[in-house]
Amino acid sequence: MARTTHPGACPLDCPDTCVWQLTVEDGRAVALRGDRDHPFTRGALCGKVNRYLDAVNGPDRLTTPYVRTGPKGAGRVAYRPASWAEAVERVAAGLRASIDRDGPESVLPYYFAGTMGHVQGWTMGQRLFAHLGASRLDTTICTGAARAALQSIYGGSVGFEPESIVAAKLVVLWGANPLATNLHLWPFVQQARERGAHVVTVDPLRTDTAARSDEHVAPLPGTDAALALGLLRHVRDAGAADEEWLAAHTVGWPELAARLDEWPVERAAAECGLPVEVVRRLGDRIATTRPTAVRVGLGLQRHHGAGQAIRAICALPLVTGDFRHPGGGALVSTSGHHPIEEDRVVRPPGMPAPPARKLNMSRLATVLTGEADPPVTSLVVFNANPAATAPDQNRLLAGLRRADLFTVVLEQRWTDTCDYADVVLPATMQPEHLDLHSSYGHHYTTLNLPVTRAPGEALPNTEIFRRIAAALGIDHPRFRDSDEELARQLLAGTPVSFEELREKTYARATGVPVGSAPFAAGGFPTRDGRARLHDPSLARLGVDPLPGHTPPVEAADAELARRFPLVLLAPAGRFLMNSTFASLPWHTRRTGPPRVHLHPDDAAARGLADGDAVRVRNDRGAFLAAVAVDEATRPGLAFTYKAYWARLSPGRATVNAVTAVRDTDLGEAPTFHDCRVEVDPVPAELLVPEPPADEAGTAAADAAPVLAG
């Protein structure tokens, strides 16, 4: 049979937004590789996505709608297949009942980055719920603190041009592990190193990236702001502040300079649990090396003081004037450079969109158990798996089990969240639908076109929401917009046309040239074009207008530490992408079963050896894991990888059984890494998970042919 190859975009929650080449035979995807010509992808896919076709072609794909016939939480055995007509009518009836009884704000859409595509992820579903007047979702769970901090200091989610990092003489990877979460940046970092750059990783854990850097600085969790303030003080005292650039392009330097009197290097080192000479040595490098590039990861924002930490770190290249130079400055996200505006597509002119309350997605456990008034009585989940990924898992599951909660889930395979749905609707995957992708790690926009058949009756998210709107009796013409029309609406006002992307697949859409210094002459996206080292508007939120150190809540609680002496982090691993691949045999074999990593001192104090079974617990809950004894962590600090599914885990619980619903100082984001636990031994047989009775596809998936190239 003839084979054809088609370009497309990786849809997953990663800054790299790779362009791939997909080989298709008889309507089926049979091979996948990275696009060799793409300036950022450069022919390589990550360890997760190299096996993406295991997910696309897996025997566990959902191919028909399901409706619940048994108790919530019982698994797939409590459901039966249904026709689309029956399933959509059930959805419409459930939404109508909530709206008639409790008003439109009783309906909550819950979605995030299961796909990063603008069309399938952020248009028709949100358009429907805006038109209904449903509660609006505050999408905080990943970057809420960073967005708020960057808005405060730079005026948006902007920073240095990523490809320019090759020109840096000092690269600081702060809370970033690109070998696991931003793989395609690493070759650019390596080019900089070949040109003489020194690479430093700042991370409490000795990650793969830290191990391959020239230097690893390991502060205590939640003390990043203290370290940044100590470094700023060292730069000031060394006379390395770029006073001319500061005067021309920032506001608030005199006030911040005075604040730094409170932060001698000795205080910062003590707060961070670091030797003074380590902080001073890094301060010397930053003070004397131009250009310095600070790539800030998202993991460091998972504690209470996250907003202030990111403000303090992002102040460093303002004070040193590194933004003058290509390869200099700070970068958390490029999303603010991309001109696509989703809101005008969600709420197009002429289509009613009543005002509505906003509910924080990171607080879903409390929203569903009494925090929301009026209560949420209909929940529609798409592009997300909150039962696995949201904090305070036990309280969340109690909310999902509510008899009065009507839940709809759009999914590609049966997840933890599906176990609590009233209706499950089968959704397409990336090769089967049209989508449009920008990036939060580079400056290219990509068009993805459908090139394979969807399995069974699976439909794109957009079409599912069109059918729900029709079943609700909504006849507005904007609910008949095709996916191509939605893509064209998203591109309106950008320098890229749909025709150009259809011909070339991707285009540089931000107006920031490769290798440039976009803020060399100022021009930050603030009202006056100046970066804000002092932001008076924060005082209205109860936040210090100057960058400061907000200590973590649990990690800094000495009283709590007596009962739960270990601070627990839950970083991303190399082979799981949030919860997307956590049911696939190859990915889970490479990741291994749940483990909690302990320093040898902590393991010895508890009489634990490598491989022992333990319960990791606090007052919120517990999960089971095997012990991994190593020095990737420091005494008093434990870590386990996130993204496992409870239904496939020992004890039917994951790390989110112990995480808290608590907001960051800015952005109301979650505090997954601000968590204390204790670890107790348990019998080894408890680590053998009891497979769900409905997991017939698992053995077949193990035997399925490998189709990813």
Side-chain angles (χ1 to χ4, degrees):
M1 294 182 181
R3 288 190 170 201
T4 55
T5 300
H6 308 268
C10 175
L12 300 177
D13 184 9
C14 167
D16 295 14
T17 313
C18 288
V19 172
W20 64 33
Q21 294 289 330
L22 184 72
T23 300
V24 177
E25 185 176 280
D26 191 28
R28 178 181 171 88
V30 296
L32 184 69
R33 63 173 175 81
D35 188 305
R36 296 185 178 97
D37 296 325
H38 188 266
F40 210 76
T41 304
R42 295 182 169 189
L45 297 176
C46 69
K48 310 172 181 75
V49 177
N50 267 325
R51 301 287 299 227
Y52 185 72
L53 298 192
D54 289 4
V56 172
N57 296 325
D60 59 339
R61 284 288 301 274
L62 289 173
T63 60
T64 190
Y66 282 84
V67 296
R68 186 169 60 85
T69 57
K72 291 185 178 183
R76 199 163 175 172
V77 294
Y79 294 78
R80 66 165 173 82
S83 68
W84 269 106
E86 179 191 1
V88 169
E89 185 48 48
R90 285 203 179 206
V91 173
L95 297 179
R96 283 194 210 101
S98 287
I99 293 169
D100 292 346
R101 182 177 62 247
D102 301 308
E105 289 183 328
S106 66
V107 176
L108 176 65
Y110 189 97
Y111 53 90
F112 201 60
T115 175
M116 292 295 290
H118 295 284
V119 176
Q120 301 301 331
W122 309 87
T123 56
M124 192 60 75
Q126 291 84 342
R127 181 179 287 186
L128 171 61
F129 295 112
H131 185 69
L132 291 174
S135 292
R136 296 175 62 187
L137 189 71
D138 194 3
T139 53
T140 61
I141 204 161
C142 183
T143 60
R147 284 199 313 265
L150 293 168
Q151 183 66 35
S152 169
I153 193 165
Y154 295 159
S157 296
V158 297
F160 68 74
E161 197 279 317
E163 294 171 61
S164 75
I165 203 170
V166 298
K169 298 303 181 186
L170 174 63
V171 176
V172 181
L173 302 169
W174 200 314
N177 183 13
L179 283 171
T181 61
N182 189 188
L183 180 64
H184 295 80
L185 182 70
W186 187 249
F188 293 94
V189 173
Q190 288 292 82
Q191 282 183 257
R193 181 187 252 162
E194 290 164 5
R195 297 179 180 186
H198 186 82
V199 179
V200 181
T201 291
V202 179
D203 198 303
L205 305 178
R206 188 163 180 78
T207 63
D208 292 341
T209 300
R212 292 175 63 176
S213 298
D214 299 306
E215 186 177 349
H216 175 210
V217 176
L220 290 169
T223 63
D224 304 275
L227 178 57
L229 291 165
L231 295 172
L232 282 163
R233 168 67 180 269
H234 189 84
V235 167
R236 188 201 73 175
D237 290 355
D242 189 332
E243 301 284 353
E244 179 186 32
W245 196 85
L246 282 162
H249 304 303
T250 72
V251 294
W253 169 234
E255 294 93 331
L256 178 56
R259 160 65 58 82
L260 296 177
D261 288 343
E262 305 168 12
W263 282 97
V265 169
E266 293 78 9
R267 179 188 174 190
E271 193 77 39
C272 297
L274 292 170
V276 172
E277 58 269 23
V278 169
V279 181
R280 188 170 286 125
R281 182 173 64 242
L282 182 56
D284 284 339
R285 288 191 184 279
I286 292 172
T288 59
T289 309
R290 307 275 77 77
T292 288
V294 184
R295 181 64 167 105
V296 186
L298 298 176
L300 68 88
Q301 67 170 326
R302 315 287 192 224
H303 61 83
H304 180 57
Q308 283 287 54
I310 291 172
R311 291 182 72 216
I313 295 166
C314 289
L316 271 165
L318 296 175
V319 173
T320 58
D322 273 295
F323 277 111
R324 285 183 185 267
H325 313 287
L331 175 66
V332 182
S333 169
T334 62
S335 59
H337 290 283
H338 289 267
I340 290 175
E341 296 178 22
E342 290 163 344
D343 192 65
R344 60 181 172 78
V345 178
V346 169
R347 297 169 179 81
M351 194 188 84
R357 67 180 175 183
K358 184 176 285 190
L359 295 176
N360 185 347
M361 71 182 304
S362 300
R363 302 188 64 85
L364 185 62
T366 53
V367 164
L368 295 181
T369 55
E371 187 173 270
D373 184 18
V376 171
T377 54
S378 279
L379 178 71
V380 182
V381 179
F382 55 105
N383 302 334
N385 182 15
T389 60
D392 204 347
Q393 189 172 77
N394 290 332
R395 195 192 311 190
L396 173 60
L397 296 185
L400 290 174
R401 287 190 187 98
R402 278 174 32 209
D404 68 328
L405 178 67
F406 177 74
T407 300
V408 182
V409 176
L410 285 63
E411 256 304 348
Q412 298 159 347
R413 48 191 21 90
W414 200 276
T415 66
D416 286 355
T417 308
C418 293
D419 282 349
Y420 301 89
D422 293 279
V423 180
V424 178
L425 303 174
T428 49
M429 292 189 71
Q430 188 74 347
E432 302 152 8
H433 56 228
L434 182 149
D435 220 331
L436 182 69
H437 292 260
S438 53
S439 170
Y440 63 94
H442 60 64
H443 289 259
Y444 302 91
T445 294
T446 308
L447 178 65
N448 182 85
L449 295 174
V451 293
T452 64
R453 293 189 302 266
E457 300 177 67
L459 294 173
N461 287 349
T462 46
E463 177 58 21
I464 294 173
F465 287 118
R466 289 186 196 101
R467 294 189 181 194
I468 294 172
L472 287 167
I474 299 172
D475 193 37
H476 196 285
R478 292 278 70 82
F479 289 105
R480 294 190 290 276
D481 287 345
S482 68
D483 288 2
E484 180 177 323
E485 287 169 329
L486 291 169
R488 290 179 181 276
Q489 292 164 24
L490 288 160
L491 290 169
T494 76
V496 180
S497 69
F498 186 85
E499 284 73 21
E500 180 182 357
L501 291 177
R502 186 162 52 192
E503 179 183 351
K504 300 179 180 177
T505 304
Y506 60 88
R508 196 170 177 91
T510 66
V512 177
V514 175
S516 66
F519 304 111
F524 290 90
T526 56
R527 184 173 299 177
D528 59 4
R530 293 170 175 260
R532 293 185 286 246
L533 294 167
H534 179 271
D535 181 5
S537 69
L538 295 182
R540 295 193 296 272
L541 304 175
V543 177
D544 192 331
L546 286 169
H549 173 49
T550 305
V553 174
E554 293 193 14
D557 188 332
E559 178 65 28
L560 189 65
R562 282 192 274 273
R563 292 195 296 131
F564 303 114
L566 297 171
V567 176
L568 180 69
L569 305 184
R574 292 190 69 170
F575 299 103
L576 296 182
M577 170 60 71
N578 298 327
S579 76
T580 297
F581 297 128
S583 66
L584 300 181
W586 184 89
H587 292 80
T588 53
R589 280 197 299 268
R590 293 301 299 266
T591 303
R595 296 185 181 93
V596 59
H597 294 251
L598 299 178
H599 188 273
D601 293 350
D602 290 322
R606 292 161 177 80
L608 297 170
D610 197 79
D612 284 353
V614 294
R615 175 179 284 108
V616 184
R617 62 174 175 84
N618 59 21
D619 289 335
R620 289 178 289 271
F623 67 97
L624 299 172
V627 170
V629 180
D630 56 45
E631 295 192 2
T633 178
R634 55 190 293 164
L637 177 62
F639 77 91
T640 187
Y641 292 117
K642 66 177 182 178
Y644 290 93
W645 290 6
R647 70 195 315 265
L648 303 178
S649 297
R652 300 289 176 89
T654 72
V655 65
N656 279 325
V658 299
T659 57
V661 172
R662 183 186 299 115
D663 296 344
T664 53
D665 54 352
L666 276 175
E668 298 182 324
T671 58
F672 291 111
H673 296 341
D674 200 344
C675 176
R676 280 197 170 274
V677 298
E678 181 54 295
V679 173
D680 303 317
V682 297
E685 55 266 26
L686 292 183
L687 287 188
V688 180
E690 178 187 345
D694 51 9
E695 288 300 304
T698 302
D702 269 319
V706 175
L707 297 176

